[in-house]
Amino acid sequence: MRRLTYENNRGESIVFYHSPFFIEALTGIGEVDADIQNQRAPYRDGDNYIDTILQPRFVTLEGAINSSNLNEIKNYRKQILKVCNPKLGLGKLTLELDGDIKEIYGVLDSVPAFPERSSNPYQRFMVVWKCPNPYWRDPQQVSRSLKAYEGKFTFPFTFPVRFGIEGDITTITNDGDTSAPVIITIQGPISRPMIENRTTGEYMQINTTIGPEEVLYIDTNPLAKRVEIHRTNQIVKAMGYVDYNSDFWQLAVGDNELRYRADEGIAEAIAAVSWHSQYVGI
């Protein structure tokens, strides 16, 4: 099974499958160009490998309108042009292939092409998307919760007294082929919350107090970094509260040990970490 669905940013969608939009060829779903970063020293053979950078992905669909009726062909062409409009910016591609489902965001590289039919009863077409982020991702967002502070103090008490446990440490797994940005949400009340990825040695700390009716929102996506405090009917930019040594960390491939702590907090203060695993191909 091979089915491709494209949804533009107006919420309009089109499905390429068997009928009426038949897929003849689909390229770019696996292969993507890689740029190898090297450094060369003078008077030395060869060079030093630094990193590999994936280039934007180009997904090309060649298909045919599965109809020989002229009025239907005209209407189907209009439908393709309406949904696959380059002026609408980024849209979402969802590919179902052999029981696997992945998605990616892309913009039309050009207006869809419709070659001359001549004696062919079917109208062929070609659509090309440029995907700035070359990674496919799971459609389902995975989310895990961490408790900031668990109170232990009760009356009457006996020594030794346990006032509480600092933070919750848990291990989450990134099943993808590369690191994955995360979205962190923290429901107050909490003071100077910090979430650390102990696997990578990086942490994110916010030097402010989050009230009981506020939610701290952090997005570590390099293309959409955000730190915000969400209140009722209000969103406040909070990038200025980010600790100087903080990192917009991502999940490494495999297991990641996360720790959540704060200067002050109660049992109701909960942090959620959400992510989509990313893949180099499908």
Side-chain angles (χ1 to χ4, degrees):
M1 175 183 174
R2 181 176 58 174
R3 176 162 55 195
L4 183 70
T5 303
Y6 176 67
E7 181 181 349
N8 63 30
N9 63 15
R10 289 195 302 213
E12 301 164 330
S13 62
I14 187 169
V15 179
F16 302 97
Y17 185 35
H18 283 315
S19 181
F21 307 114
F22 177 74
I23 298 177
E24 293 186 327
L26 187 61
T27 58
I29 59 175
E31 64 276 14
V32 63
D33 291 336
D35 185 9
I36 300 176
Q37 307 287 307
N38 297 303
Q39 186 179 58
R40 175 166 293 185
Y43 311 110
R44 177 182 171 182
D45 294 330
D47 52 25
N48 294 325
Y49 170 78
I50 299 175
D51 200 358
T52 299
I53 307 297
L54 295 188
Q55 298 300 305
R57 180 183 299 276
F58 287 85
V59 176
T60 301
L61 168 66
E62 297 179 53
I65 296 175
N66 194 9
S67 174
S68 58
N69 182 283
L70 291 180
N71 285 329
E72 288 185 351
I73 289 175
K74 181 176 68 175
N75 290 331
Y76 287 141
R77 282 175 55 142
K78 287 182 178 179
Q79 184 179 348
I80 294 175
L81 290 168
K82 179 183 179 182
V83 178
C84 301
N85 182 351
K87 296 293 290 183
L88 297 178
L90 284 174
K92 183 172 69 175
L93 287 159
T94 303
L95 178 62
E96 301 172 61
L97 183 65
D98 299 333
D100 198 7
I101 302 176
K102 294 291 182 289
E103 66 181 24
I104 195 169
Y105 285 85
V107 60
L108 274 299
D109 187 56
S110 62
V111 174
F114 297 93
E116 275 294 330
R117 293 175 56 218
S118 52
S119 60
N120 195 322
Y122 301 118
Q123 172 68 71
R124 284 184 164 79
F125 60 87
M126 184 171 71
V127 188
V128 181
W129 292 271
K130 177 183 179 181
C131 305
N133 182 343
Y135 298 112
W136 294 92
R137 72 178 196 178
D138 286 328
Q140 299 82 17
Q141 186 181 65
V142 182
S143 184
R144 292 287 298 273
S145 295
L146 299 173
K147 186 178 294 184
Y149 186 86
E150 182 180 356
K152 294 293 183 181
F153 184 78
T154 59
F155 286 99
F157 63 86
T158 56
F159 290 96
V161 180
R162 296 186 65 197
F163 289 95
I165 298 175
E166 182 197 64
D168 181 25
I169 298 175
T170 191
T171 299
I172 61 179
T173 303
N174 172 17
D175 293 322
D177 301 328
T178 186
S179 58
V182 297
I183 292 176
I184 302 169
T185 55
I186 302 176
Q187 170 73 54
I190 204 77
S191 179
R192 296 185 72 231
M194 184 192 81
I195 294 187
E196 177 187 7
N197 187 334
R198 302 181 70 180
T199 299
T200 65
E202 300 171 308
Y203 71 88
M204 170 63 72
Q205 179 172 303
I206 308 300
N207 295 325
T208 190
T209 297
I210 309 301
E213 302 300 325
E214 297 178 334
V215 176
L216 178 66
Y217 180 94
I218 302 171
D219 189 343
T220 69
N221 188 328
L223 301 177
K225 289 181 180 178
R226 285 191 292 165
V227 180
E228 300 169 342
I229 297 175
H230 292 197
R231 300 169 181 160
T232 304
N233 300 324
Q234 185 182 20
I235 297 177
V236 179
K237 304 297 183 184
M239 192 69 77
Y241 296 119
V242 177
D243 187 80
Y244 179 77
N245 293 315
S246 291
D247 301 288
F248 283 83
W249 53 262
Q250 301 187 26
L251 295 177
V253 175
D255 291 340
N256 291 255
E257 188 178 77
L258 304 186
R259 180 176 63 173
Y260 176 35
R261 64 180 184 180
D263 283 1
E264 296 179 8
I266 59 175
E268 286 77 15
I270 299 295
V273 179
S274 306
W275 74 98
H276 291 269
S277 295
Q278 301 187 126
Y279 305 87
V280 297
I282 182 174

